[in-house]
Amino acid sequence: MTELNEYECEMLDAMLEAFGIPDSLTRIQLMNLFDQDEATAFAMVQILAQEGLVAEAGKHGDYELPEKLVLKPKGEKFLKEGGFSSRYRTGQQKPAEVGGTLFKLQQQNMKLQNIKLENESQISDLQKTVSTLQIRQYIRWALILLALIIGYFIGHFYKW
């Protein structure tokens, strides 16, 4: 899960609390909850869906709100346990694990170095391909020029 700030955690909790007795929210209710800001509503729905707290129902596009959002039992339990705000406060109180964090950073650094090497290798391969294609293009132009010169001389010296 991405790191959320306190305001986002409160918004997510408010969204979970907005699920009423039918345990569902319509697209219109979501838009009203976020003052017609579909981008923010969409982002919050995606976070809830990634956490497995809600299910989307109804047809919608890749970047649109679903017609209906249904609260899963896991979502109810999560909200009763304090929700995102509780998780945020717990994370703020927990002392940073220096050794664990350092190890994670080293792992991430290694992954990024491997990705960089792969990308550099791909760039090198693509540069070789471009170079080969340029040489072929020059050869084609030379052959066309040679054919034109030969055609000119044939036409000029051998007049029918």
Coordinates of all heavy atoms in Angstrom, one line a residue, residues 76-144:
E76 N -16.0 -3.7 7.0 CA -16.7 -3.5 8.2 C -15.8 -3.7 9.4 O -15.7 -2.9 10.3 CB -18.0 -4.3 8.3 CG -19.1 -3.9 7.4 CD -20.3 -4.8 7.5 OE1 -20.6 -5.2 8.7 OE2 -21.0 -5.1 6.5
K77 N -15.2 -4.9 9.4 CA -14.3 -5.3 10.5 C -13.1 -4.3 10.6 O -12.8 -3.8 11.7 CB -13.7 -6.7 10.2 CG -12.8 -7.2 11.3 CD -12.3 -8.6 11.0 CE -11.3 -9.0 12.0 NZ -10.6 -10.3 11.7
F78 N -12.6 -3.9 9.4 CA -11.5 -2.9 9.4 C -11.9 -1.6 10.1 O -11.1 -1.0 10.8 CB -11.0 -2.7 8.0 CG -9.8 -1.8 7.8 CD1 -8.5 -2.2 8.2 CD2 -10.0 -0.5 7.3 CE1 -7.5 -1.3 8.1 CE2 -8.9 0.3 7.2 CZ -7.7 0.0 7.6
L79 N -13.1 -1.1 9.7 CA -13.6 0.1 10.3 C -13.8 0.0 11.8 O -13.5 0.9 12.5 CB -14.8 0.6 9.5 CG -15.4 1.9 9.8 CD1 -14.3 3.0 9.5 CD2 -16.6 2.2 9.0
K80 N -14.3 -1.1 12.2 CA -14.6 -1.3 13.7 C -13.3 -1.3 14.4 O -13.2 -1.0 15.6 CB -15.4 -2.6 13.9 CG -16.8 -2.5 13.5 CD -17.5 -3.8 13.7 CE -19.0 -3.7 13.2 NZ -19.6 -5.0 13.2
E81 N -12.2 -1.8 13.8 CA -10.9 -1.8 14.5 C -10.2 -0.5 14.4 O -9.0 -0.4 14.9 CB -10.0 -2.9 13.8 CG -10.5 -4.3 14.0 CD -9.7 -5.3 13.2 OE1 -8.9 -4.9 12.3 OE2 -10.0 -6.5 13.4
G82 N -10.8 0.5 13.9 CA -10.2 1.9 13.9 C -9.9 2.4 12.5 O -9.6 3.6 12.4
G83 N -9.9 1.6 11.5 CA -9.7 2.0 10.1 C -8.3 2.6 9.8 O -7.4 2.2 10.5
F84 N -8.3 3.4 8.8 CA -7.0 3.9 8.3 C -6.4 4.9 9.3 O -5.2 4.9 9.4 CB -7.2 4.6 7.0 CG -7.5 3.7 5.8 CD1 -8.8 3.4 5.5 CD2 -6.5 3.0 5.2 CE1 -9.1 2.5 4.4 CE2 -6.7 2.2 4.1 CZ -8.0 1.9 3.8
S85 N -7.2 5.6 10.0 CA -6.7 6.6 11.0 C -5.9 5.9 12.1 O -4.8 6.3 12.5 CB -7.8 7.5 11.5 OG -8.4 8.2 10.5
S86 N -6.5 4.8 12.6 CA -5.8 4.0 13.6 C -4.5 3.4 13.1 O -3.5 3.5 13.8 CB -6.8 2.9 14.1 OG -6.1 2.1 15.0
R87 N -4.5 2.9 11.9 CA -3.3 2.4 11.3 C -2.3 3.5 11.1 O -1.1 3.3 11.4 CB -3.7 1.8 9.9 CG -2.4 1.1 9.3 CD -2.7 0.8 7.8 NE -3.6 -0.3 7.6 CZ -3.9 -0.7 6.4 NH1 -3.5 -0.1 5.3 NH2 -4.8 -1.7 6.3
Y88 N -2.7 4.7 10.7 CA -1.8 5.8 10.6 C -1.1 6.2 11.9 O 0.1 6.3 12.0 CB -2.5 7.0 9.9 CG -1.6 8.2 9.8 CD1 -0.7 8.3 8.8 CD2 -1.7 9.3 10.7 CE1 0.1 9.5 8.6 CE2 -0.9 10.4 10.6 CZ 0.0 10.5 9.5 OH 0.8 11.6 9.4
R89 N -2.0 6.3 12.9 CA -1.4 6.7 14.3 C -0.5 5.6 14.8 O 0.5 5.9 15.4 CB -2.6 6.9 15.2 CG -3.3 8.2 15.0 CD -4.3 8.5 16.2 NE -5.4 7.6 16.2 CZ -6.5 7.6 15.5 NH1 -6.7 8.6 14.7 NH2 -7.5 6.7 15.7
T90 N -0.8 4.4 14.6 CA 0.1 3.3 15.0 C 1.4 3.3 14.3 O 2.5 3.2 14.9 CB -0.6 1.9 14.8 OG1 -1.9 1.9 15.4 CG2 0.3 0.8 15.3
G91 N 1.4 3.6 13.0 CA 2.6 3.7 12.2 C 3.4 4.9 12.6 O 4.7 4.9 12.6
Q92 N 2.8 6.0 13.1 CA 3.5 7.2 13.6 C 4.2 6.9 14.9 O 5.3 7.5 15.2 CB 2.6 8.4 13.7 CG 2.0 8.9 12.4 CD 3.1 9.3 11.4 OE1 4.0 10.1 11.8 NE2 3.0 8.8 10.2
Q93 N 3.6 6.1 15.7 CA 4.1 5.8 17.1 C 5.2 4.8 17.0 O 6.1 4.7 17.9 CB 3.0 5.4 18.0 CG 2.0 6.5 18.3 CD 0.8 5.9 19.1 OE1 0.7 4.7 19.3 NE2 -0.1 6.8 19.5
K94 N 5.2 4.0 16.0 CA 6.2 2.9 15.9 C 7.6 3.4 15.6 O 7.8 4.2 14.7 CB 5.8 1.9 14.8 CG 6.6 0.6 14.8 CD 6.3 -0.2 13.6 CE 4.9 -0.7 13.6 NZ 4.6 -1.6 12.5
P95 N 8.6 3.1 16.4 CA 10.0 3.6 16.2 C 10.5 3.0 14.8 O 10.2 1.9 14.5 CB 10.8 3.1 17.3 CG 10.0 2.0 17.9 CD 8.6 2.2 17.6
A96 N 11.3 3.8 14.2 CA 11.8 3.3 12.9 C 12.8 2.2 13.1 O 13.7 2.3 14.0 CB 12.5 4.5 12.1
E97 N 12.7 1.2 12.3 CA 13.6 0.0 12.4 C 14.8 0.4 11.5 O 14.7 0.2 10.3 CB 13.0 -1.2 12.0 CG 11.8 -1.6 12.8 CD 11.0 -2.8 12.3 OE1 11.6 -3.6 11.5 OE2 9.9 -3.0 12.6
V98 N 15.9 0.8 12.1 CA 17.0 1.3 11.3 C 17.7 0.1 10.5 O 17.9 0.2 9.3 CB 18.1 1.9 12.2 CG1 19.3 2.3 11.4 CG2 17.5 3.1 12.9
G99 N 17.9 -1.0 11.1 CA 18.5 -2.1 10.4 C 17.6 -2.7 9.3 O 18.1 -2.9 8.2
G100 N 16.3 -2.8 9.6 CA 15.4 -3.3 8.6 C 15.2 -2.4 7.5 O 15.2 -2.8 6.3
T101 N 15.2 -1.1 7.8 CA 15.0 -0.1 6.8 C 16.3 0.0 5.9 O 16.2 0.1 4.7 CB 14.8 1.3 7.4 OG1 13.6 1.2 8.3 CG2 14.5 2.4 6.4
L102 N 17.4 -0.1 6.5 CA 18.7 -0.1 5.7 C 18.7 -1.3 4.8 O 19.1 -1.2 3.6 CB 19.9 -0.1 6.7 CG 21.2 -0.1 6.0 CD1 21.4 1.1 5.2 CD2 22.3 -0.2 7.1
F103 N 18.3 -2.5 5.3 CA 18.3 -3.7 4.5 C 17.3 -3.5 3.3 O 17.7 -3.9 2.2 CB 17.9 -4.9 5.3 CG 17.9 -6.2 4.5 CD1 19.1 -6.8 4.1 CD2 16.7 -6.8 4.3 CE1 19.0 -7.9 3.3 CE2 16.7 -8.0 3.5 CZ 17.8 -8.6 3.1
K104 N 16.2 -3.0 3.6 CA 15.2 -2.8 2.5 C 15.7 -1.8 1.5 O 15.5 -2.0 0.3 CB 13.9 -2.2 3.1 CG 13.1 -3.3 3.9 CD 11.8 -2.7 4.4 CE 11.1 -3.6 5.3 NZ 9.9 -3.0 6.0
L105 N 16.4 -0.7 1.9 CA 16.9 0.2 1.0 C 18.0 -0.4 0.1 O 18.2 -0.1 -1.1 CB 17.5 1.4 1.7 CG 16.5 2.4 2.3 CD1 17.1 3.4 3.2 CD2 15.6 3.0 1.2
Q106 N 18.8 -1.3 0.7 CA 19.9 -1.9 0.0 C 19.3 -2.9 -1.1 O 19.8 -2.9 -2.2 CB 20.8 -2.7 0.9 CG 21.7 -1.9 1.7 CD 22.5 -2.6 2.8 OE1 22.1 -3.7 3.2 NE2 23.6 -2.1 3.3
Q107 N 18.2 -3.6 -0.7 CA 17.5 -4.4 -1.7 C 16.9 -3.6 -2.8 O 17.1 -4.0 -4.0 CB 16.4 -5.2 -1.0 CG 16.9 -6.4 -0.2 CD 15.7 -7.1 0.4 OE1 14.7 -6.6 0.8 NE2 15.8 -8.5 0.5
Q108 N 16.3 -2.5 -2.5 CA 15.7 -1.7 -3.5 C 16.8 -1.1 -4.4 O 16.6 -1.0 -5.6 CB 14.9 -0.5 -2.8 CG 14.2 0.3 -3.8 CD 13.3 1.4 -3.1 OE1 13.5 1.7 -2.0 NE2 12.4 2.0 -3.9
N109 N 17.9 -0.7 -3.8 CA 19.0 -0.2 -4.6 C 19.6 -1.2 -5.6 O 19.8 -0.9 -6.7 CB 20.2 0.3 -3.6 CG 21.3 1.0 -4.4 OD1 21.1 1.6 -5.4 ND2 22.5 1.0 -3.8
M110 N 19.7 -2.5 -5.1 CA 20.1 -3.6 -6.0 C 19.1 -3.8 -7.1 O 19.5 -4.0 -8.3 CB 20.3 -4.9 -5.2 CG 21.5 -4.9 -4.3 SD 23.1 -4.6 -5.1 CE 23.2 -6.2 -6.0
K111 N 17.8 -3.8 -6.8 CA 16.8 -3.9 -7.9 C 16.9 -2.8 -8.9 O 16.9 -3.1 -10.1 CB 15.4 -3.9 -7.2 CG 15.1 -5.2 -6.5 CD 13.7 -5.1 -5.9 CE 13.4 -6.3 -5.0 NZ 12.1 -6.1 -4.4
L112 N 17.1 -1.6 -8.4 CA 17.2 -0.4 -9.3 C 18.4 -0.5 -10.2 O 18.4 -0.2 -11.3 CB 17.1 0.9 -8.5 CG 15.8 1.2 -7.9 CD1 15.9 2.4 -7.0 CD2 14.7 1.4 -8.9
Q113 N 19.5 -1.0 -9.6 CA 20.8 -1.1 -10.4 C 20.6 -2.2 -11.4 O 21.1 -2.0 -12.6 CB 21.9 -1.5 -9.4 CG 22.4 -0.3 -8.6 CD 23.6 -0.7 -7.7 OE1 23.9 -1.9 -7.6 NE2 24.1 0.3 -7.0
N114 N 19.9 -3.3 -11.1 CA 19.7 -4.3 -12.1 C 18.8 -3.8 -13.2 O 19.0 -4.1 -14.4 CB 19.0 -5.5 -11.5 CG 20.0 -6.3 -10.6 OD1 21.2 -6.2 -10.8 ND2 19.4 -7.1 -9.6
I115 N 17.8 -3.0 -12.9 CA 16.9 -2.4 -13.9 C 17.7 -1.5 -14.8 O 17.5 -1.5 -16.0 CB 15.7 -1.7 -13.2 CG1 14.8 -2.8 -12.6 CG2 14.9 -0.9 -14.2 CD1 13.7 -2.2 -11.7
K116 N 18.6 -0.7 -14.1 CA 19.4 0.2 -14.9 C 20.3 -0.5 -15.9 O 20.4 -0.1 -17.1 CB 20.2 1.1 -14.0 CG 21.2 2.0 -14.7 CD 22.0 2.8 -13.7 CE 23.0 3.7 -14.4 NZ 24.0 4.2 -13.5
L117 N 20.9 -1.6 -15.5 CA 21.7 -2.4 -16.3 C 20.9 -3.0 -17.5 O 21.4 -3.0 -18.6 CB 22.5 -3.5 -15.5 CG 23.6 -3.1 -14.6 CD1 24.1 -4.2 -13.8 CD2 24.7 -2.4 -15.4
E118 N 19.7 -3.5 -17.2 CA 18.9 -4.0 -18.2 C 18.5 -3.0 -19.3 O 18.6 -3.2 -20.5 CB 17.6 -4.6 -17.6 CG 17.8 -5.9 -16.9 CD 16.5 -6.4 -16.2 OE1 15.4 -5.9 -16.6 OE2 16.6 -7.2 -15.3
N119 N 18.2 -1.8 -18.8 CA 17.9 -0.7 -19.7 C 19.0 -0.3 -20.5 O 18.9 0.0 -21.7 CB 17.3 0.5 -18.9 CG 15.9 0.2 -18.3 OD1 15.2 -0.6 -18.8 ND2 15.5 1.0 -17.3
E120 N 20.2 -0.2 -19.9 CA 21.4 0.2 -20.7 C 21.7 -0.9 -21.7 O 22.1 -0.5 -22.8 CB 22.6 0.3 -19.7 CG 22.6 1.6 -18.9 CD 23.7 1.7 -17.9 OE1 24.4 0.7 -17.6 OE2 23.8 2.8 -17.3
S121 N 21.5 -2.1 -21.4 CA 21.7 -3.2 -22.4 C 20.7 -3.1 -23.6 O 21.1 -3.2 -24.7 CB 21.5 -4.6 -21.7 OG 21.6 -5.6 -22.7
Q122 N 19.5 -2.8 -23.2 CA 18.4 -2.6 -24.3 C 18.8 -1.4 -25.1 O 18.6 -1.4 -26.4 CB 17.1 -2.4 -23.7 CG 16.4 -3.7 -23.1 CD 15.1 -3.4 -22.5 OE1 14.7 -2.3 -22.1 NE2 14.3 -4.5 -22.5
I123 N 19.3 -0.3 -24.5 CA 19.6 0.9 -25.3 C 20.8 0.5 -26.2 O 20.8 0.9 -27.4 CB 20.0 2.0 -24.3 CG1 18.8 2.6 -23.6 CG2 20.8 3.1 -25.1 CD1 19.1 3.6 -22.5
S124 N 21.8 -0.2 -25.7 CA 22.9 -0.6 -26.6 C 22.4 -1.4 -27.8 O 22.9 -1.2 -28.9 CB 23.9 -1.4 -25.7 OG 25.0 -1.8 -26.5
D125 N 21.6 -2.4 -27.5 CA 21.0 -3.2 -28.6 C 20.3 -2.4 -29.6 O 20.4 -2.6 -30.8 CB 20.1 -4.3 -28.0 CG 20.9 -5.4 -27.2 OD1 22.1 -5.4 -27.3 OD2 20.2 -6.1 -26.4
L126 N 19.5 -1.5 -29.1 CA 18.7 -0.6 -30.0 C 19.6 0.3 -30.8 O 19.3 0.5 -32.0 CB 17.6 0.2 -29.2 CG 16.5 -0.6 -28.6 CD1 15.6 0.3 -27.7 CD2 15.6 -1.2 -29.7
Q127 N 20.7 0.8 -30.2 CA 21.6 1.6 -31.0 C 22.3 0.8 -32.1 O 22.5 1.4 -33.2 CB 22.6 2.3 -30.0 CG 22.1 3.4 -29.2 CD 23.1 3.9 -28.1 OE1 24.0 3.2 -27.7 NE2 22.9 5.1 -27.7
K128 N 22.6 -0.4 -31.8 CA 23.2 -1.3 -32.8 C 22.3 -1.5 -34.0 O 22.6 -1.5 -35.1 CB 23.7 -2.6 -32.2 CG 24.9 -2.5 -31.3 CD 25.2 -3.9 -30.7 CE 26.3 -3.8 -29.7 NZ 26.6 -5.0 -29.0
T129 N 21.0 -1.7 -33.6 CA 20.0 -1.9 -34.6 C 19.8 -0.7 -35.5 O 19.7 -0.8 -36.7 CB 18.6 -2.3 -34.0 OG1 18.8 -3.5 -33.2 CG2 17.6 -2.6 -35.0
V130 N 19.8 0.5 -34.9 CA 19.6 1.7 -35.6 C 20.8 1.9 -36.5 O 20.7 2.3 -37.7 CB 19.4 2.9 -34.6 CG1 19.6 4.2 -35.3 CG2 18.1 2.8 -33.9
S131 N 22.0 1.7 -36.0 CA 23.2 1.8 -36.8 C 23.2 0.9 -38.0 O 23.5 1.3 -39.2 CB 24.4 1.5 -35.9 OG 25.6 1.6 -36.7
T132 N 22.8 -0.3 -37.8 CA 22.7 -1.3 -38.9 C 21.7 -0.8 -40.0 O 21.9 -0.9 -41.2 CB 22.3 -2.7 -38.4 OG1 23.2 -3.1 -37.4 CG2 22.2 -3.7 -39.5
L133 N 20.5 -0.3 -39.5 CA 19.5 0.1 -40.4 C 20.0 1.4 -41.2 O 19.6 1.5 -42.4 CB 18.2 0.4 -39.7 CG 17.5 -0.8 -39.1 CD1 16.3 -0.4 -38.2 CD2 17.0 -1.7 -40.3
Q134 N 20.7 2.3 -40.5 CA 21.3 3.4 -41.2 C 22.2 3.0 -42.3 O 22.2 3.6 -43.4 CB 22.0 4.4 -40.2 CG 21.0 5.2 -39.4 CD 21.7 6.0 -38.4 OE1 22.9 5.7 -38.0 NE2 21.1 7.1 -37.9
I135 N 23.1 2.1 -42.0 CA 24.1 1.6 -43.0 C 23.3 1.0 -44.2 O 23.6 1.3 -45.4 CB 25.0 0.6 -42.4 CG1 26.0 1.3 -41.5 CG2 25.8 -0.2 -43.5 CD1 26.8 0.3 -40.6
R136 N 22.3 0.2 -44.0 CA 21.5 -0.4 -45.1 C 20.8 0.7 -45.9 O 20.8 0.6 -47.1 CB 20.4 -1.3 -44.5 CG 20.9 -2.6 -44.0 CD 19.8 -3.5 -43.5 NE 20.3 -4.7 -42.9 CZ 19.5 -5.6 -42.3 NH1 18.2 -5.3 -42.2 NH2 20.0 -6.7 -41.7
Q137 N 20.3 1.8 -45.2 CA 19.7 2.9 -45.9 C 20.7 3.6 -46.8 O 20.4 3.9 -48.0 CB 19.1 3.9 -44.9 CG 18.3 5.0 -45.6 CD 17.0 4.5 -46.2 OE1 16.5 3.4 -45.8 NE2 16.5 5.2 -47.1
Y138 N 22.0 3.8 -46.3 CA 23.0 4.4 -47.1 C 23.3 3.6 -48.4 O 23.5 4.1 -49.5 CB 24.3 4.7 -46.3 CG 24.1 5.7 -45.2 CD1 24.7 5.5 -44.0 CD2 23.3 6.8 -45.4 CE1 24.6 6.5 -43.0 CE2 23.2 7.8 -44.4 CZ 23.8 7.6 -43.2 OH 23.7 8.5 -42.2
I139 N 23.4 2.3 -48.2 CA 23.7 1.4 -49.3 C 22.6 1.4 -50.3 O 22.8 1.5 -51.5 CB 23.9 -0.1 -48.8 CG1 25.2 -0.2 -48.0 CG2 23.9 -1.1 -49.9 CD1 25.4 -1.5 -47.2
R140 N 21.3 1.5 -49.9 CA 20.2 1.6 -50.8 C 20.3 2.9 -51.6 O 20.1 2.9 -52.8 CB 18.9 1.5 -50.1 CG 18.5 0.2 -49.5 CD 17.1 0.1 -48.9 NE 16.9 -1.1 -48.3 CZ 16.7 -1.3 -47.0 NH1 16.6 -0.2 -46.2 NH2 16.5 -2.5 -46.5
W141 N 20.6 4.0 -50.9 CA 20.7 5.3 -51.7 C 21.9 5.2 -52.7 O 21.7 5.8 -53.8 CB 20.9 6.4 -50.7 CG 19.6 6.9 -50.0 CD1 19.3 6.7 -48.7 CD2 18.5 7.5 -50.6 NE1 18.1 7.2 -48.4 CE2 17.6 7.7 -49.6 CE3 18.2 7.9 -51.9 CZ2 16.3 8.3 -49.9 CZ3 17.0 8.5 -52.2 CH2 16.1 8.7 -51.1
A142 N 23.0 4.6 -52.3 CA 24.1 4.5 -53.2 C 23.7 3.7 -54.4 O 24.1 4.0 -55.6 CB 25.3 3.9 -52.5
L143 N 23.0 2.6 -54.2 CA 22.6 1.7 -55.3 C 21.6 2.5 -56.2 O 21.7 2.3 -57.5 CB 21.9 0.4 -54.8 CG 22.9 -0.6 -54.2 CD1 22.1 -1.8 -53.6 CD2 23.9 -1.1 -55.2
I144 N 20.7 3.2 -55.7 CA 19.8 4.0 -56.5 C 20.5 5.1 -57.3 O 20.3 5.2 -58.5 CB 18.7 4.7 -55.6 CG1 17.8 3.6 -55.0 CG2 17.9 5.8 -56.3 CD1 16.8 4.1 -53.9

